Amino acid sequence: MVSPAGCWWRRLAVAALAVSLGLEAVYRYLRRRRRGTPREVLFFPAPLSCSEPLLSPGTRCSCPLPHEAGGALSQLLRRLLGARRSLDICVFTFSSPPLARAVLLLHGRGVRVRVITDSDYMAAAGSQIGALRKAGIMVRHNQTSGFMHHKFALLDKSIVITGSMNWTMQAIQTNKENVLITDDGVCVRAYMEEFERLWEEYDPAGYHFFPEDDKEGA
Amino acid sequence: MVSPAGCWWRRLAVAALAVSLGLEAVYRYLRRRRRGTPREVLFFPAPLSCSEPLLSPGTRCSCPLPHEAGGALSQLLRRLLGARRSLDICVFTFSSPPLARAVLLLHGRGVRVRVITDSDYMAAAGSQIGALRKAGIMVRHNQTSGFMHHKFALLDKSIVITGSMNWTMQAIQTNKENVLITDDGVCVRAYMEEFERLWEEYDPAGYHFFPEDDKEGA
């Protein structure tokens, strides 16, 4: 025998559970939809493809390369081009022309771009750092003996792109590489703090490259 | 005035909210407890410290290095030593003695260790790959022109360790590096699939290093 009161509470509990599970599902669906499934891992090498449809939207390209936009490089470019307010890049070597074009495009749109890179490699053959600097993008670099070996970027301070891949054509087209993209708050905060820490550490005001400056009249 | 129906719905809403918040809290607590707060980002270089307390538990070490266990290398070692069933390593260069000792310790405990590495660097000075092979650990490597440039590991097929850091002393002690640790299902599955794909691709049965084998009698 179940008393009327017990029956009422049981119904309420079942209904509450159903509503709560429904709310949870809707919340998770909306969260994923708003962010565009931000957790993603891209693997390289990516098959050669033309990036023009992404970098020059609206123009027609007749080059012989495939124009599918599903490859890993296209997915990475699409993610980068999604930045609206800021793009903070911290990469060891940056020599990939399509990635540099994407960064210049964002800079031209008014996105605040900052770049941290490695002093040994920024002037190497094919480096895109000079082109970024010429366009007015802020670049800072290490001045110590170890490598600035990070390969991460932060979009709008809310999505981090990290992994093993330097931003070079060899990495994209030839190496086995991984790129992890996430909006996980713990990760984003950690990488953002590291970026800001290095940005301050590499402030040109603190450069000590030129010991001859200390020699009076030299 | 509140009608009985309105009152019933209000109670249902409050109960649903309470159940939903309770379920979410219990779910998060259990998830964190089971995994031990698995999302984490470690940054290097790490200050020099002695790894003996982790690698030889129970012994006393009187070396002059600090013995604090809070540094990034200690945290990474502690994570690795947490593997119970399997450890799948996929790293470009592996020359760090404390990391190699941790892997040998796990192998000795019966953890199934597999290693994928790069053919150009596995025989370089200081490489630990030979020591791992001598201990009976399975090692496979690429045989193509591009680098096997990944730097990730999978613990018990449920936690992935990835980032910019090769397993070398220069990376640990001198470079700016990041290591991301997560049990996110999407990430773990993606890295696990990449590992298994490369493990098959680098099966020694498919090696074509020795073209002279084709020459009859040569």
Side-chain angles (χ1 to χ4, degrees), chain B residues 128-150:
Chain B
Q128 297 290 324
I129 296 297
L132 302 184
R133 275 194 159 130
K134 274 184 198 153
I137 290 174
M138 296 174 287
V139 179
R140 293 186 179 181
H141 56 82
N142 60 332
Q143 49 174 339
T144 51
S145 56
F147 289 134
M148 201 311 294
H149 201 243
H150 287 307

Side-chain angles (χ1 to χ4, degrees), chain A residues 160-200:
Chain A
V160 64
I161 296 174
T162 187
S164 67
M165 198 178 80
N166 289 304
W167 289 19
T168 69
M169 290 318 284
Q170 150 133 4
I172 293 167
Q173 293 176 356
T174 315
N175 293 352
K176 305 291 187 193
E177 305 275 6
N178 67 84
V179 171
L180 188 154
I181 304 170
T182 181
D183 73 341
D184 178 277
V186 172
C187 297
V188 171
R189 270 192 300 280
Y191 282 97
M192 201 68 236
E193 281 170 19
E194 175 74 352
F195 188 92
E196 296 295 353
R197 209 183 56 72
L198 294 183
W199 190 253
E200 289 311 311

Side-chain angles (χ1 to χ4, degrees), chain A residues 24 39 149 178 184 191, chain B residues 24 39 149 177-178 184 191:
Chain A
E24 183 75 17
R39 287 172 312 160
H149 200 243
N178 67 84
D184 178 277
Y191 282 97
Chain B
E24 184 75 17
R39 287 172 313 161
H149 201 243
E177 305 275 5
N178 67 84
D184 179 277
Y191 282 97

Side-chain angles (χ1 to χ4, degrees), chain A residues 50-57 59 77 81 94 96-108 128 132:
Chain A
C50 176
S51 304
E52 282 306 310
L54 288 165
L55 297 170
S56 307
T59 60
L77 283 169
L81 292 168
F94 190 165
S96 156
L99 289 172
R101 279 185 60 195
V103 173
L104 290 167
L105 206 61
L106 289 168
H107 176 63
Q128 297 290 324
L132 302 184

Side-chain angles (χ1 to χ4, degrees), chain A residues 31-109:
Chain A
R31 188 160 179 264
R32 178 160 297 191
R33 194 158 175 232
R34 184 171 62 88
R35 298 281 196 183
T37 56
R39 287 172 312 160
E40 191 175 18
V41 189
L42 307 176
F43 291 100
F44 293 81
L48 260 181
S49 68
C50 176
S51 304
E52 282 306 310
L54 288 165
L55 297 170
S56 307
T59 60
R60 285 184 66 85
C61 175
S62 54
C63 80
L65 290 173
H67 287 72
E68 293 92 36
L73 175 58
S74 297
Q75 286 175 267
L76 180 58
L77 283 169
R78 203 173 296 112
R79 285 288 196 163
L80 282 177
L81 292 168
R84 291 288 169 266
R85 294 175 300 282
S86 67
L87 174 63
D88 297 310
I89 299 168
C90 190
V91 287
F92 178 48
T93 47
F94 190 165
S95 60
S96 156
L99 289 172
R101 279 185 60 195
V103 173
L104 290 167
L105 206 61
L106 289 168
H107 176 63
R109 285 180 193 164

